[in-house]
Amino acid sequence: MKTLQQWQTADAAHHLHPFTNQADINRQGSRVISHAQGAYIFEANGHRLLDGMSGLWCCNLGYSQPRINQAIAAQLEELPYYNTFFQCTHPRATELAQAICNKAPAHLNRVFFTNSGSEANDSVLRFVHRYWDARGKPQRKAIIARENAYHGSTIAGASLGGMGFMHEQFEPLRGIHHIPQPYWFGAKGDNADMDEQDFGLWAANQLENKILALGPDNVAAFFAEPIQGAGGVIIPPDSYWPRIQEICRQYDVLLVVDEVIFGFGRTGEWFASQFYQLEPDFIVFAKGVTNGFVPLGGVLVSDRVSEALLSHTNDLAHGFTYSGHPVACAAALATLDILAEGPISRIKNELSQTMRDYWLPLADHPLVGQARCKGLVGALELVKDKASKQRFAGNGHAGTVCRNMSLQAGLVMRATGDTMIIAPPFILDRNEIKDLTERAWQALDLTQAQLQQ
Ligand SMILES: Cc1ncc(COP(=O)(O)O)c(C=O)c1O
């Protein structure tokens, strides 16, 4: 058994980490998570943390789910691998495709499997091109997405995403255009004093403006997360989504809802598209479909798009060796069974309200300019001055301090700039949500003390 320091030394020498500053790792050592139980993770030094982020928004049922483990083990015995290319399938992929369609909005009846959310967004881009080719409008290639969106890290995912710090590190794909996000708290200039619902309409109308600027006959699709996750849990005003849906219908622009975070229950519905009453052409999923235990992603495809895709007589020249991997599908089937037994309806009927009861009062803390939540996600905007909403200088320094203080307080909370975000597992009870928010308050106190030094 290695010591903590031996793990850190080997890790710093050989492991290139995603979204990590390697100099920090070399200086401080990586945080080694050695085991987990229920909603808690444990560091190799024994420190226990309430995982307020469900891993990376994926271990929605926590870390102890023996039925998922058993399904994985049984599948490894029965059929550890086969592919779904060249007219082949296997029972788990077929069962899972059917099970997911049964939970989705009625007009989405086909699933394409990938290994991740990034690959799923990549796949949608391929399907969108093929759809418009089949419709005899090959010039419809322009894509619209949103600033500060996150759609993954493949070249298509990162180009669709609107994160400036990512775009700086590569040459984004051409033909992808970004419009402002529905971020009311961050509204600037003339919009700063706008009423929330008016702001939602303004943000939605940016889509129409962009479609008109590009020429409606050139626009293929609009990609969006129902609530922007990694961008800071940006919950759109209620006026936003109905107007977006209306614009997509009016200009015949395909609507792609990236539910990698929200699919499989986080709003209290199976899909956020049901929560917001959307009629998307594609729903992108990953993460929670297997409770994060093995990689699986995919795309739900609407009937009108499937029909066009199937009208091509040549093969669909797209796929991954592990599309519909049997072990991943078995894990997903067990996850869906557990989710159907109560956790999602509990969010709808109980935990969404519990979150509001305990999370929103964090707005009373002197460091918090706004507290917001929806279903089981929440955010806190850290500000230097509550009345004017003035931010701290330092480009995310306050958020980083707060994230570290949160760990000290025994809670995993994530920082996006100076916005603290949370996505707790569905298995928490009322007392644990209360405990989570008390730890968040403690983290805010510690942060305030540190920032004053
Ligand atoms: C909305 C959204 N889309 C896509 C992705 C990318 O998924 P993956 O990391 O599985 O490629 C993420 C990951 O966080 C996400 O939040």
Side-chain angles (χ1 to χ4, degrees):
M1 183 73 172
K2 286 189 169 68
T3 64
L4 174 58
Q5 203 183 358
Q6 284 169 328
W7 284 119
Q8 289 174 324
T9 305
D11 191 70
H14 301 295
H15 184 184
L16 271 181
H17 289 248
F19 288 97
T20 296
N21 183 317
Q22 195 67 31
D24 285 347
I25 284 203
N26 294 341
R27 197 170 47 246
Q28 298 162 356
S30 38
R31 184 176 293 277
V32 182
I33 308 301
S34 58
H35 59 290
Q37 197 173 24
Y40 295 87
I41 55 173
F42 294 82
E43 297 188 55
N45 64 8
H47 187 211
R48 187 178 90 137
L49 294 161
L50 173 56
D51 185 6
M53 283 305 297
S54 307
L56 266 180
W57 332 77
C58 52
C59 299
N60 295 340
L61 296 166
Y63 294 91
S64 309
Q65 290 295 343
R67 280 163 65 189
I68 305 177
N69 303 356
Q70 282 152 16
I72 290 171
Q75 189 59 42
L76 282 168
E77 290 294 327
E78 185 181 310
L79 179 72
Y81 174 76
Y82 205 69
N83 64 74
T84 53
F85 284 33
F86 316 133
Q87 296 177 33
C88 289
T89 191
H90 54 76
R92 295 301 92 74
T94 303
E95 283 170 359
L96 182 62
Q98 187 174 25
I100 291 175
C101 292
N102 285 343
K103 305 297 182 199
H107 68 290
L108 295 140
N109 285 299
R110 284 197 167 77
V111 175
F112 182 87
F113 288 116
T114 68
N115 302 291
S116 67
S118 304
E119 286 178 5
N121 279 311
D122 244 277
S123 299
V124 172
L125 204 52
R126 298 279 313 271
F127 298 156
V128 165
H129 284 198
R130 200 163 156 82
Y131 170 81
W132 286 114
D133 288 351
R135 291 266 314 263
K137 296 189 174 175
Q139 80 286 358
R140 278 209 186 230
K141 289 286 187 309
I143 302 290
I144 304 175
R146 297 183 300 185
E147 290 162 6
N148 203 32
Y150 187 75
H151 294 296
S153 276
T154 54
I155 198 144
S159 302
L160 288 163
M163 304 234 164
F165 71 94
M166 289 177 73
H167 285 194
E168 280 168 17
Q169 298 184 7
F170 72 107
E171 185 72 39
L173 295 180
R174 274 172 304 169
I176 299 176
H177 308 265
H178 293 90
I179 58 170
Q181 54 184 342
Y183 182 28
W184 184 51
F185 184 81
K188 294 194 177 82
D190 289 348
N191 291 343
D193 297 323
M194 220 183 246
D195 159 84
E196 183 177 4
Q197 300 313 324
D198 289 345
F199 178 78
L201 287 177
W202 173 86
N205 284 330
Q206 301 312 301
L207 176 60
E208 182 173 46
N209 293 348
K210 185 59 86 178
I211 291 171
L212 293 174
L214 293 166
D217 263 351
N218 299 319
V219 180
F222 174 57
F223 280 68
E225 301 156 76
I227 294 171
Q228 278 170 280
V233 179
I234 310 296
I235 302 168
D238 291 343
S239 57
Y240 183 78
W241 274 115
R243 179 70 187 127
I244 290 283
Q245 179 74 71
E246 192 175 73
I247 295 167
C248 287
R249 277 204 196 105
Q250 183 180 347
Y251 296 98
D252 199 14
V253 166
L254 296 171
L255 175 60
V256 185
V257 181
D258 180 346
E259 298 219 25
V260 166
I261 289 175
F262 288 91
F264 303 99
R266 199 161 273 287
T267 59
E269 300 288 346
W270 279 92
F271 292 95
S273 294
Q274 292 151 329
F275 183 83
Y276 283 115
Q277 299 178 339
L278 301 175
E279 264 187 55
D281 295 288
F282 297 92
I283 290 179
V284 178
F285 63 86
K287 295 192 187 273
V289 65
T290 58
N291 203 42
F293 284 11
V294 282
L296 179 72
V299 183
L300 268 154
V301 184
S302 71
D303 294 338
R304 78 160 172 156
V305 173
S306 300
E307 220 170 90
L309 295 181
L310 297 173
S311 72
H312 286 282
T313 49
N314 50 356
D315 291 4
L316 178 67
H318 179 70
F320 305 103
T321 300
Y322 303 120
S323 284
H325 192 290
V327 176
C329 291
L333 283 162
T335 303
L336 263 60
D337 280 350
I338 299 169
L339 287 170
E341 288 166 10
I344 297 181
S345 53
R346 221 175 119 243
I347 293 176
K348 181 173 183 162
N349 299 324
E350 184 189 331
L351 292 184
S352 296
Q353 184 58 47
T354 311
M355 265 296 272
R356 285 194 289 274
D357 291 346
Y358 289 112
W359 187 260
L360 297 182
L362 289 167
D364 294 337
H365 194 279
L367 273 193
V368 177
Q370 188 194 56
R372 54 179 181 266
C373 64
K374 191 71 105 184
L376 278 193
V377 289
L380 303 174
E381 299 284 3
L382 303 186
V383 288
K384 193 167 175 206
D385 179 64
K386 267 171 108 80
S388 65
K389 298 201 278 185
Q390 188 199 343
R391 293 290 202 176
F392 287 98
N395 229 353
H397 172 68
T400 305
V401 171
C402 190
R403 184 192 63 195
N404 294 339
M405 293 304 160
S406 179
L407 294 171
Q408 206 170 305
L411 170 68
V412 178
M413 191 159 53
R414 179 165 152 182
T416 298
D418 285 346
T419 307
M420 305 309 299
I421 57 179
I422 201 115
F426 306 174
I427 53 171
L428 298 189
D429 63 21
R430 192 172 174 85
N431 278 334
E432 287 167 315
I433 290 184
K434 180 166 177 275
D435 175 52
L436 181 156
T437 53
E438 284 168 359
R439 288 171 195 271
W441 188 282
Q442 197 187 338
L444 291 164
D445 282 346
L446 291 166
T447 304
Q448 193 179 18
Q450 171 102 4
L451 292 175
Q452 275 165 359
Q453 269 174 21

